[in-house]
Amino acid sequence: MYKDMSKEQLVREKEKIRSVYDQYKAMGLKLDMSRGKPAPKQLDLTEDMLLHCLDGEFISENGIDCRNYGVLDGIYEAKRLFMPMLGVGRYEIIVGGNSSLCMMYDSIARAMLLGVLGGKKPWSKNDRVKFLCPAPGYDRHFAICESMGIEMITVPYRADGPDMDMIEDLVKKDEEIKGIWCVPMYSNPTGITYSDEVVKRFAALKPKADDFRIFWDNAYCVHHLTDTPDRLLNILDECKKTGNENMVYIFTSTSKISFPGGGLAVLAASEANINFIKDQMTYQTIGYDKLNQLRHARFFKDYEGVQAHMKKHRKIIAPKFETVLKMLDEEIAPLNIGEWHKPHGGYFISFDGLDYTAKRTVQLCKDAGVVLTDAGATFPYGKDPRDRNIRIAPTFPTVDELRKAMEIFCTSVKLAAVEQLENQK
Amino acid sequence: MYKDMSKEQLVREKEKIRSVYDQYKAMGLKLDMSRGKPAPKQLDLTEDMLLHCLDGEFISENGIDCRNYGVLDGIYEAKRLFMPMLGVGRYEIIVGGNSSLCMMYDSIARAMLLGVLGGKKPWSKNDRVKFLCPAPGYDRHFAICESMGIEMITVPYRADGPDMDMIEDLVKKDEEIKGIWCVPMYSNPTGITYSDEVVKRFAALKPKADDFRIFWDNAYCVHHLTDTPDRLLNILDECKKTGNENMVYIFTSTSKISFPGGGLAVLAASEANINFIKDQMTYQTIGYDKLNQLRHARFFKDYEGVQAHMKKHRKIIAPKFETVLKMLDEEIAPLNIGEWHKPHGGYFISFDGLDYTAKRTVQLCKDAGVVLTDAGATFPYGKDPRDRNIRIAPTFPTVDELRKAMEIFCTSVKLAAVEQLENQK
């Protein structure tokens, strides 16, 4: 174990690892593991959606020509795919365009410019707007806040979700806190799923701001990796029980079910929220791409079709997660220089190295041809206070590429660790 | 001619027309001419785009897998369709999603929240934001302003474009004026195309606001109805000559070329504007639907392909415009109770009845089963000061349906006219 080594031992160890690292570097690899991208083989699974599922029949069940204008909130057969997925009714959902990120951005832009249901004025009419950001989290959530000048308050994660004591306390006393980002299932990047207690405590929040919203990004709700998937309590149902049904916006998409950038995005919320949002949205667009909605409805048929399809994804990506976890178990665990969680689903493995080693590790990987998400990206303002979290995205490379990339990753983790420990001596 | 009739003659005439009107009403027709919608036969023209043009080949010319994430500003082969259409270069264009209305809304939302290139602060940080609105114009342009609390100033139209004296004067002295809406070619609804002089005067504007933008919605640039189409001067080129190249945003879409709601939207502007906008847009989305971009690029091949395709549209819709114009010439012209322009392209015929008859005419049509765009909709705040403008959208109905609808329309125009003249006696 590195931590027990003397300075001299560490220097010798460093030289040993360095020579291994230099050999990898000399191989001139080029691998991009920076984003959670499906592999081409996964995209092949929905090929028929692009080829034959429309086949000259463009009329929706209820007689709408999907090639022409109209239908702001999505065709019903598309809604029906997502209603059981999110546990919401037909008047509690909007099927939108190709990007749930865009739906989240637009929801915040509308809140800033126009306000939300029950709010007295647009968010932007306040001197300051603040968001709670459980971290490590999704960098693009935090980037939206940063781009709009929304102040971010970092909330730490526990084993079963974000620190609810802190959240309850903060929203109760600070009217400037208007929202919180959550990835409640197979969280990006930690992989954990919020416990029932955490969901219930979210639903029971008593925010001081009457225009506070939970941004519940349920991106990975059907992205299971095991036969015993996690279960997430239905936040909208819980909010109805507490009389807080207008407090939550739920998002999901098929970006990692059908096509990233060519899929469907979904917003679900209380009927009152949905009606309010539709009234605002009608100025932005006449409607989203109903042909693509029809493609999805025809291809998947129903929610059971989506679930069956996700098993095919699992078959492709589960071995990749296993490869990463196996190598971490073999290479890093015995040295006690890192921690990680074995996720039951989602797209990421969140790795915590020794304090103050993440930036160095990512740089070492990059120099050896393996591009990872920037260290710090999983925290507000890109600043990981302990500089230890690295997001590993195993889905895009092949298993062989991944094995090589993980050899380089593990070597880099070790090198960064001994360097750091040596400096502390 | 109605205007020369005595009160008694008008009453008799009214009774005569009323009985004709009642016969139409009894027929119980149901026709919607409220929006500029392509007819199903027009949509059939691009059927192959949905069936075979991808056929298992999803990689763009330069190697991008269009099924996966990436490429914020659109794939190059899609840009190439629009560059010659708008007369802009490859770094002066963004190919976006399915709606140019959405791109315009988002451009204004970004300007309000974040500001534009060269501006000192976001528009919304001013006490008031004003837009110039040449009218009659496109109702959804005005609705965007209204939804965001942007004050609209109506500018009248002349034969060759909006009143440039008024525009020059207003933008020069009022820093709160941040933009102007233009449909410069086959304008919605007037059908006119801005003259070279008007375009040059736009390019030479000296707005007091350093963050003023011309919203140049060139929606109908290839939608010709004659062999001698109108010509529109290239506004970006003209703005470059006057050193105003960052003053204009150009928009267009394929909504009425391929599919409304299933087409491509485009934003063109100076390279500096485009880079600035991309830097802002990157927080909203990872990218638009590249599969749909690829479909369009493969189907049309190049700009010549688009032009050839538009001739097929013309063949379907030109007879509809002729039907409307012929009936107006026969039924309304001799009575001198209305004016209209014969457009060389676009989607509308703008009809001006006698003052204070438009609302009544639209109501009469509606009661007889013909739904038109609301009277007043073509003016800011939905208020036509003279209550005389009606937008006729001839494309969606069949020629037979259109003939019936126009019989009802002409009868309603006559009835509203005699009622109005009688009241004035």
Side-chain angles (χ1 to χ4, degrees):
Chain A
M1 295 240 289
Y2 289 171
K3 278 173 191 165
D4 307 324
M5 287 185 181
S6 69
K7 183 147 185 160
E8 292 66 35
Q9 285 173 311
L10 283 167
V11 171
R12 274 200 303 278
E13 183 68 15
K14 185 176 76 174
E15 277 160 16
K16 219 175 76 190
I17 303 167
R18 180 89 219 182
S19 88
V20 176
Y21 174 82
D22 286 339
Q23 284 168 30
Y24 283 123
K25 198 172 167 181
M27 291 164 67
L29 281 174
K30 248 190 137 174
L31 284 169
D32 191 337
M33 290 171 66
S34 64
R35 310 292 324 174
K37 279 173 82 167
K41 266 192 198 311
Q42 293 176 261
L43 307 177
D44 292 344
L45 296 173
T46 28
E47 179 157 354
D48 203 56
M49 193 190 295
L50 302 175
L51 297 181
H52 296 299
C53 80
L54 289 181
D55 272 354
E57 186 43 72
F58 311 115
I59 309 295
S60 80
E61 285 174 359
N62 57 348
I64 291 154
D65 186 340
C66 292
R67 302 171 303 173
N68 219 327
Y69 286 116
V71 192
L72 182 61
D73 53 352
I75 58 173
Y76 182 51
E77 52 253 71
K79 287 184 182 177
R80 222 166 37 212
L81 292 179
F82 300 102
M83 284 153 46
M85 189 186 293
L86 298 175
V88 300
R90 71 181 290 180
Y91 302 111
E92 296 174 328
I93 192 166
I94 294 170
V95 180
N98 74 322
S99 159
S100 58
L101 185 74
C102 185
M103 275 190 135
M104 294 180 232
Y105 180 97
D106 287 359
S107 298
I108 292 186
R110 284 192 306 266
M112 290 290 280
L113 275 173
L114 313 171
V116 303
L117 176 65
K120 286 182 199 71
K121 58 185 177 183
W123 285 358
S124 67
K125 296 289 178 194
N126 297 280
D127 291 335
R128 278 198 301 194
V129 179
K130 299 176 193 162
F131 252 62
L132 300 183
C133 297
Y138 180 29
D139 54 346
R140 285 184 177 272
H141 286 167
F142 305 152
I144 291 175
C145 285
E146 201 170 352
S147 80
M148 296 203 198
I150 294 173
E151 193 178 313
M152 290 181 274
I153 300 168
T154 302
V155 175
Y157 258 109
R158 297 186 169 170
D160 68 341
D163 182 339
M164 292 309 298
D165 291 339
M166 182 176 172
I167 292 170
E168 285 165 351
D169 185 54
L170 284 169
V171 303
K172 195 166 58 190
K173 66 185 190 200
D174 189 346
E175 201 173 354
E176 294 179 333
I177 296 175
K178 299 298 185 190
I180 182 167
W181 287 115
C182 296
V183 184
M185 192 154 183
Y186 305 138
S187 189
N188 176 354
T190 64
I192 66 155
T193 297
Y194 293 10
S195 69
D196 290 359
E197 191 210 328
V198 162
V199 176
K200 282 173 193 286
R201 287 177 75 178
F202 264 111
L205 284 178
K206 299 195 187 337
K208 190 164 185 201
D210 52 17
D211 50 359
F212 173 85
R213 288 293 182 278
I214 300 166
F215 285 72
W216 197 255
D217 182 2
N218 205 353
Y220 305 105
C221 54
V222 292
H223 300 64
H224 310 299
L225 288 168
T226 74
D227 289 326
T228 51
D230 291 354
R231 271 186 53 258
L232 178 71
L233 213 55
N234 184 325
I235 179 89
L236 188 57
D237 281 352
E238 294 304 316
C239 282
K240 284 173 185 170
K241 291 180 200 164
T242 57
N244 267 338
E245 67 179 85
N246 295 334
M247 193 171 62
V248 63
Y249 293 160
I250 302 167
F251 302 90
T252 197
S253 81
T254 69
S255 292
K256 294 174 182 99
I257 299 173
S258 59
F259 302 111
L264 303 181
V266 174
L267 165 58
S270 71
E271 189 175 340
N273 265 335
I274 291 292
N275 288 335
F276 187 86
I277 289 169
K278 276 164 62 178
D279 283 349
Q280 291 182 332
M281 253 178 48
T282 191
Y283 297 102
Q284 185 186 22
T285 188
I286 298 169
Y288 294 100
D289 186 347
K290 293 184 297 299
L291 288 166
N292 208 30
Q293 294 179 1
L294 196 61
R295 261 183 219 110
H296 282 72
R298 295 259 173 86
F299 180 85
F300 290 113
K301 293 185 179 66
D302 51 28
Y303 177 47
E304 284 66 41
V306 174
Q307 290 173 302
H309 187 78
M310 293 314 290
K311 294 209 170 119
K312 299 181 192 167
H313 279 284
R314 175 184 158 192
K315 219 169 165 177
I316 297 171
I317 64 174
K320 299 182 182 183
F321 279 79
E322 281 155 23
T323 299
V324 170
L325 292 164
K326 185 164 176 280
M327 291 186 67
L328 291 176
D329 280 341
E330 289 173 4
E331 297 287 321
I332 305 299
L335 300 171
N336 197 18
I337 52 171
E339 294 169 4
W340 55 93
H341 171 77
K342 185 185 166 169
H344 298 153
Y347 256 62
F348 302 103
I349 291 163
S350 179
F351 178 84
D352 282 326
L354 295 185
D355 286 2
Y356 312 111
T357 60
K359 273 204 169 69
R360 175 68 177 151
T361 303
V362 169
Q363 185 63 48
L364 285 166
C365 284
K366 193 178 171 192
D367 294 343
V370 175
V371 178
L372 299 168
T373 311
D374 282 345
T378 53
F379 282 79
Y381 307 104
K383 281 177 196 154
D384 175 0
R386 293 172 63 181
D387 182 27
R388 63 169 182 163
N389 186 252
I390 298 173
R391 186 178 80 167
I392 301 173
T395 52
F396 190 75
T398 63
V399 170
D400 283 346
E401 288 170 333
L402 194 60
R403 204 170 287 128
K404 276 203 194 80
M406 284 307 294
E407 283 169 9
I408 290 171
F409 177 79
C410 292
T411 306
S412 299
V413 168
K414 289 180 207 170
L415 188 50
V418 289
E419 284 174 357
Q420 174 62 15
L421 291 168
E422 184 196 340
N423 285 341
Q424 286 170 358
K425 295 282 167 178
Chain B
M1 297 240 288
Y2 289 170
K3 278 173 192 165
D4 305 327
M5 286 185 182
S6 69
K7 183 147 186 160
E8 291 67 33
Q9 287 175 310
L10 284 167
V11 171
R12 275 199 302 278
E13 183 68 15
K14 187 177 73 174
E15 278 160 15
K16 221 175 74 191
I17 303 167
R18 181 86 218 184
S19 87
V20 175
Y21 173 81
D22 287 339
Q23 285 169 29
Y24 282 122
K25 198 171 167 182
M27 290 164 68
L29 282 173
K30 249 191 136 173
L31 284 169
D32 191 338
M33 291 171 64
S34 64
R35 309 293 326 173
K37 277 173 82 167
K41 266 191 198 313
Q42 292 176 263
L43 307 177
D44 292 343
L45 297 173
T46 28
E47 178 158 356
D48 203 55
M49 193 190 294
L50 302 175
L51 297 182
H52 296 298
C53 81
L54 288 181
D55 271 354
E57 185 42 74
F58 311 114
I59 309 295
S60 80
E61 285 174 0
N62 56 350
I64 291 155
D65 187 340
C66 291
R67 301 171 302 174
N68 219 327
Y69 285 117
V71 192
L72 182 62
D73 53 353
I75 58 174
Y76 182 51
E77 52 253 71
K79 288 184 180 176
R80 222 166 39 212
L81 292 178
F82 300 102
M83 284 152 49
M85 189 186 293
L86 298 174
V88 301
R90 71 181 291 180
Y91 301 111
E92 295 172 331
I93 193 166
I94 295 169
V95 180
N98 74 322
S99 159
S100 59
L101 185 74
C102 185
M103 274 189 134
M104 294 180 230
Y105 180 97
D106 287 357
S107 298
I108 292 186
R110 283 192 305 265
M112 291 290 280
L113 276 173
L114 312 170
V116 302
L117 177 64
K120 286 181 201 72
K121 57 185 177 185
W123 286 358
S124 67
K125 294 290 177 193
N126 297 279
D127 291 336
R128 277 200 302 195
V129 179
K130 299 176 192 163
F131 252 63
L132 300 182
C133 298
Y138 179 30
D139 54 346
R140 285 185 177 272
H141 286 166
F142 305 153
I144 291 175
C145 285
E146 203 171 349
S147 79
M148 296 203 199
I150 295 173
E151 190 179 315
M152 291 182 274
I153 300 168
T154 302
V155 175
Y157 259 109
R158 296 185 169 171
D160 68 340
D163 182 339
M164 292 309 298
D165 291 339
M166 183 176 170
I167 291 169
E168 284 165 352
D169 187 53
L170 283 170
V171 302
K172 197 165 60 190
K173 67 185 189 200
D174 189 347
E175 200 173 355
E176 295 179 333
I177 296 175
K178 300 298 185 191
I180 183 168
W181 287 114
C182 297
V183 184
M185 192 155 184
Y186 306 137
S187 189
N188 175 355
T190 66
I192 65 156
T193 297
Y194 294 7
S195 70
D196 290 0
E197 193 209 328
V198 163
V199 177
K200 282 174 194 285
R201 287 176 73 178
F202 264 111
L205 284 178
K206 297 193 189 341
K208 191 163 184 206
D210 52 18
D211 50 0
F212 173 86
R213 288 293 183 276
I214 300 167
F215 284 72
W216 198 254
D217 181 3
N218 205 353
Y220 305 106
C221 54
V222 292
H223 300 64
H224 310 300
L225 288 168
T226 74
D227 289 327
T228 52
D230 292 353
R231 271 186 52 259
L232 177 71
L233 213 55
N234 183 325
I235 181 86
L236 188 57
D237 281 353
E238 293 304 315
C239 282
K240 284 173 185 171
K241 291 179 199 164
T242 57
N244 267 339
E245 67 179 86
N246 296 335
M247 193 172 62
V248 63
Y249 294 158
I250 302 167
F251 302 90
T252 197
S253 81
T254 69
S255 292
K256 294 173 182 100
I257 300 173
S258 59
F259 301 111
L264 303 180
V266 174
L267 165 58
S270 70
E271 189 176 338
N273 265 335
I274 291 292
N275 288 336
F276 187 85
I277 289 168
K278 276 163 59 179
D279 283 349
Q280 290 182 332
M281 253 177 48
T282 192
Y283 297 101
Q284 185 186 22
T285 188
I286 298 168
Y288 295 99
D289 185 347
K290 294 184 297 300
L291 288 165
N292 209 30
Q293 295 179 359
L294 196 61
R295 262 182 219 111
H296 281 73
R298 295 257 173 88
F299 180 85
F300 290 114
K301 293 185 178 66
D302 51 28
Y303 177 48
E304 284 66 40
V306 175
Q307 289 173 302
H309 188 77
M310 292 314 289
K311 293 207 170 121
K312 299 180 192 168
H313 279 284
R314 175 184 158 193
K315 222 170 162 175
I316 296 170
I317 65 173
K320 300 182 181 182
F321 279 79
E322 280 154 24
T323 299
V324 171
L325 292 164
K326 186 163 174 281
M327 291 188 65
L328 291 175
D329 281 340
E330 288 173 4
E331 298 287 322
I332 306 298
L335 300 171
N336 197 22
I337 52 170
E339 293 169 5
W340 55 92
H341 170 76
K342 185 187 164 166
H344 298 153
Y347 255 61
F348 302 103
I349 291 163
S350 178
F351 177 85
D352 281 327
L354 295 184
D355 286 3
Y356 311 111
T357 60
K359 272 203 171 68
R360 174 69 177 150
T361 303
V362 169
Q363 185 62 48
L364 285 166
C365 284
K366 192 179 171 191
D367 293 343
V370 175
V371 178
L372 300 168
T373 310
D374 282 345
T378 53
F379 282 78
Y381 307 105
K383 283 179 194 153
D384 174 0
R386 294 173 62 182
D387 182 27
R388 63 170 182 162
N389 186 254
I390 298 172
R391 185 179 81 165
I392 301 173
T395 52
F396 189 76
T398 64
V399 171
D400 284 346
E401 288 171 332
L402 194 59
R403 203 171 287 129
K404 274 201 197 81
M406 284 307 294
E407 283 169 9
I408 290 171
F409 177 78
C410 291
T411 306
S412 300
V413 168
K414 288 181 208 171
L415 189 50
V418 288
E419 284 174 358
Q420 174 63 16
L421 290 168
E422 185 197 339
N423 284 343
Q424 284 170 0
K425 294 281 169 178

